[in-house]
Amino acid sequence: LEKNPSNILKTRYLQKLFPNSAFLMVYRHPLAVAYATRKWTGMSVSGIIDHTLRLYEIYGNDKPMLKKSTEIRYEDLIHDGLSGLVEKLEQLGIKITPNYSNFKKGVNDKYFDMYLRDKKSWLRSIRERLWGLEEKFEVRLNKYGYSILDLEK
C-alpha cells in the first residue's frame, strides 16, 4: 500500500517492476485536498486544485494500460464504509477481512467551510485569490463527480 500522490505518475512504471501489482485510485474533492494541504505545500488553492486534477487526468490516461486498476471516491468510502472498499479490492483480486469500519465523517466539511468563509472574507486579498475558481475548474471537477458550485456533490 502506497498513498503518495506522486506515484500516480508512476503507475505504468510500477506495473513494469511489479507485474502482479494492482492499483486502487482514491479520488478526493480537489477543493478539500487544497485546503487540507496548502499549509505545507506553499501553493495557492487554485494551484493545488489544478495539480490534483492533473494527477487525476494522468491516471485516467494511463488506466487503459494498467492490468488491474479501479477507483473509489474518498467521499463514497466515508459514506459507505468498508463495504465499498472491499468490493473495489475484490475487483482487483484482493481479499481482505475488514476489522475497522468507523471512518471519520465530515472531514471535508471543515475544508468546505473554510472555502466558503474565505469567499466572504472582508479581506480583498483573500477573496481575490478565489475569484474565478468556479469558472476555471467546474467542468474538470464534474468529470470526477465533484463541483465547486455544489459542494455536496
Side-chain angles (χ1 to χ4, degrees):
L1 175 66
E2 176 58 57
K3 62 179 204 168
N4 184 337
S6 68
N7 281 334
I8 295 169
L9 303 171
K10 304 172 191 164
T11 53
R12 290 185 295 156
Y13 173 71
L14 291 168
Q15 180 177 258
K16 201 87 146 150
L17 288 176
F18 307 100
N20 295 321
S21 60
F23 300 92
L24 175 66
M25 173 64 171
V26 181
Y27 294 113
R28 185 176 183 189
H29 196 301
L31 184 66
V33 172
Y35 272 85
T37 61
R38 68 183 177 157
K39 60 186 162 256
W40 63 79
T41 64
M43 294 173 64
S44 67
V45 169
S46 179
I48 297 170
I49 292 172
D50 184 56
H51 179 77
T52 302
L53 287 169
R54 284 179 193 255
L55 289 173
Y56 294 174
E57 291 158 358
I58 288 168
Y59 169 77
N61 291 335
D62 287 350
K63 185 179 180 200
M65 293 168 264
L66 301 174
K67 293 177 196 166
K68 294 194 297 185
S69 70
T70 191
E71 310 75 37
I72 191 168
R73 287 175 12 129
Y74 167 84
E75 296 79 8
D76 296 336
L77 175 62
I78 297 302
H79 181 267
D80 300 338
L82 282 177
S83 62
L85 178 61
V86 168
E87 180 182 319
K88 292 292 183 176
L89 291 174
E90 285 176 353
Q91 289 174 8
L92 297 172
I94 300 169
K95 305 280 189 236
I96 67 165
T97 304
N99 62 3
Y100 180 77
S101 62
N102 294 327
F103 292 104
K104 189 174 181 182
K105 298 188 185 286
V107 173
N108 279 359
D109 295 341
K110 172 175 82 171
Y111 301 117
F112 294 157
D113 290 345
M114 291 167 72
Y115 166 70
L116 294 171
R117 200 170 39 250
D118 285 352
K119 273 182 67 167
K120 295 176 185 171
S121 174
W122 61 272
L123 289 173
R124 183 178 174 165
S125 62
I126 291 175
R127 286 194 325 270
E128 284 177 351
R129 281 181 265 168
L130 302 176
W131 285 348
L133 284 184
E134 293 93 347
E135 295 82 16
K136 187 173 182 181
F137 296 116
E138 188 66 16
V139 171
R140 287 172 70 197
L141 286 166
N142 290 170
K143 291 178 185 173
Y144 304 96
Y146 296 118
S147 173
I148 289 184
L149 300 172
D150 178 7
L151 295 173
E152 298 300 316
K153 200 170 177 183

